[in-house]
Amino acid sequence: GTKDDHGQGNAQMHGPGGEKRLEPPKKEDKLAELLPSLRVLSQELKAEIDAGKIQVSMEPRGLIVSFKQAALFPSGEDGISPDALPSLDKIAAAILKIPNPVRLEGHTDSRRINTQRFHSNWELSSARSIALLEILTTRFHTPVGRISVAGYADTAPIASNETEEGRALNRRVDIVILNEQGVLG
């Protein structure tokens, strides 16, 4: 390769920015173990879990708090129901206690939406993630720098879209508290 401003060789071999290398994570920046948070949230959200509004689980990428669409939003809308605020308060308190990044993921079923406000399932799923971001950061003061949003539309179903029961399961918003595998993946 050619010489660059920082030394010999091809700067591209060192990745974006030439010689600059990523610093290994500092010991104090280490991500928190999520099993204690899983236990706490499962206990604090027991009524919502028993009512079938929320599911709490551990996956390889991290701790997942999955809201059925009906528990957070009216059908085809992105306005968060006031009934969901106590549950979100409990989740926000858990997020504030650990340093892990959080991803808010909106999902829809496979039925196409085309309203005046939302022209596609992509727009609806993204708008729901953004609405959740806004309420978590403004009302519950979770750090905006630790949260990202994603809209998956109907591309990540957890059940068949052939039945109403399956479609209802696919209409959800997941709050994913990422672990190291989820951050790197």
Side-chain angles (χ1 to χ4, degrees):
T2 60
K3 287 186 178 185
D4 66 1
D5 292 339
H6 299 287
Q8 294 183 341
N10 186 342
Q12 289 181 342
M13 290 177 60
H14 302 291
E19 291 256 337
K20 186 175 182 181
R21 295 180 188 259
L22 293 175
E23 296 288 324
K26 296 177 185 156
K27 191 171 188 173
E28 62 269 13
D29 291 343
K30 192 158 177 80
L31 299 178
E33 170 60 42
L34 295 174
L35 282 176
S37 297
L38 172 67
R39 287 187 207 101
V40 168
L41 281 173
S42 294
Q43 194 68 284
E44 290 185 3
L45 298 169
K46 185 173 180 2
E48 294 92 334
I49 293 168
D50 290 347
K53 294 180 179 181
I54 294 177
Q55 182 178 357
V56 179
S57 62
M58 190 67 73
E59 291 184 10
R61 62 191 172 137
L63 173 59
I64 314 296
V65 179
S66 187
F67 280 85
K68 285 190 176 180
Q69 168 251 305
L72 273 182
F73 304 100
S75 181
E77 298 295 327
D78 67 338
I80 294 179
S81 167
D83 295 342
L85 296 178
S87 302
L88 290 172
D89 187 26
K90 295 171 189 174
I91 296 164
I95 291 170
L96 289 170
K97 291 178 185 173
I98 55 177
N100 299 40
V102 177
R103 186 170 51 230
L104 310 175
E105 301 176 345
H107 301 271
T108 67
D109 62 25
S110 63
R111 290 207 169 151
R112 297 176 62 110
I113 188 170
N114 189 1
T115 64
Q116 190 169 2
R117 176 150 163 74
F118 301 112
H119 299 288
S120 71
N121 288 357
W122 289 103
E123 289 181 18
L124 176 60
S125 64
S126 298
R128 287 179 169 173
S129 295
I130 292 167
L132 191 53
L133 168 76
E134 289 174 352
I135 200 141
L136 285 173
T137 56
T138 58
R139 184 178 184 117
F140 300 111
H141 310 291
T142 57
V144 71
R146 288 183 34 220
I147 301 178
S148 60
V149 298
Y152 288 99
D154 62 341
T155 64
I158 57 172
S160 169
N161 277 300
E162 298 301 316
T163 66
E164 180 50 44
E165 294 81 21
R167 287 189 296 274
L169 291 172
N170 292 332
R171 294 188 300 265
R172 68 194 190 282
V173 176
D174 295 338
I175 298 173
V176 184
I177 303 172
L178 297 168
N179 59 19
E180 288 187 49
Q181 182 176 341
V183 169
L184 298 174

